[in-house]
Amino acid sequence: MFLVLSADQLSKFWILYGLNLPEKGSVYVLPFLNFSMVWNHAVTFGLLGGVAGPFVFSAVALAVVCGLLVWMFKTSSRLIAVCVGAIIGGAIGNVIDRLRYGAVVDFLHAHAFGHSWYVFNIADSAIVCAVGVLLLHNMRAGNKPQAT
């Protein structure tokens, strides 16, 4: 949780104040990656933009974080605890942005072979990867009963 939160906030601080990406707009990094400044005022993939302000999104995210904290501390599985902790760290990182800037700082822009993915950040990456691992773990476990 703290590793993801720290990496997310440090990367955003560097993007905003070290690299000064808001002024530059976009910086070439690799043939498949740019740093591109995007202020995300909505939810994932720009959904629900304009429907609710940063305080509503933050309140919902923090309510979800409370539920995830219960899950994290109740599970006997280290893998599940790490994944849930990564989701919590990512969610808190994006809440900090919403409360501090009124929007989430997104800057990682992956692209290849004429395709472009949405612009995201470390928090988003941690959330997506952790959810993916949880899904794979659950599919692998099948219908076997598991301890919570």
Side-chain angles (χ1 to χ4, degrees):
M1 171 172 49
F2 296 113
L3 180 63
V4 169
L5 178 58
S6 297
D8 177 64
Q9 290 298 294
L10 288 171
S11 68
K12 290 171 181 174
F13 182 84
W14 179 74
I15 283 294
L16 294 173
Y17 304 108
L19 187 60
N20 197 17
L21 194 60
E23 184 178 297
K24 295 176 182 174
S26 187
V27 174
Y28 172 88
V29 179
L30 296 167
F32 56 87
L33 179 69
N34 288 15
F35 290 154
S36 298
M37 189 66 224
V38 173
W39 293 101
N40 186 351
H41 297 276
V43 189
T44 304
F45 308 116
L47 297 173
L48 302 176
V51 173
F55 295 109
V56 173
F57 287 143
S58 297
V60 170
L62 290 175
V64 170
V65 162
C66 289
L68 290 171
L69 280 167
V70 170
W71 184 16
M72 186 177 81
F73 287 114
K74 287 183 82 172
T75 186
S76 60
S77 167
R78 177 175 259 182
L79 176 65
I80 291 174
V82 168
C83 289
V84 173
I87 295 167
I88 292 168
I92 292 172
N94 284 341
V95 165
I96 290 170
D97 288 5
R98 287 191 195 289
L99 297 176
R100 185 172 184 191
Y101 307 114
V104 174
V105 177
D106 287 335
F107 60 93
L108 295 168
H109 181 201
H111 52 84
F113 309 110
H115 298 286
S116 179
W117 288 268
Y118 67 98
V119 181
F120 55 97
N121 59 43
I122 301 295
D124 299 334
S125 300
I127 292 168
V128 168
C129 291
V131 167
V133 170
L134 287 172
L135 288 171
L136 289 172
H137 175 72
N138 190 49
M139 289 185 333
R140 191 176 137 253
N143 292 327
K144 296 179 209 167
Q146 293 184 1
T148 57

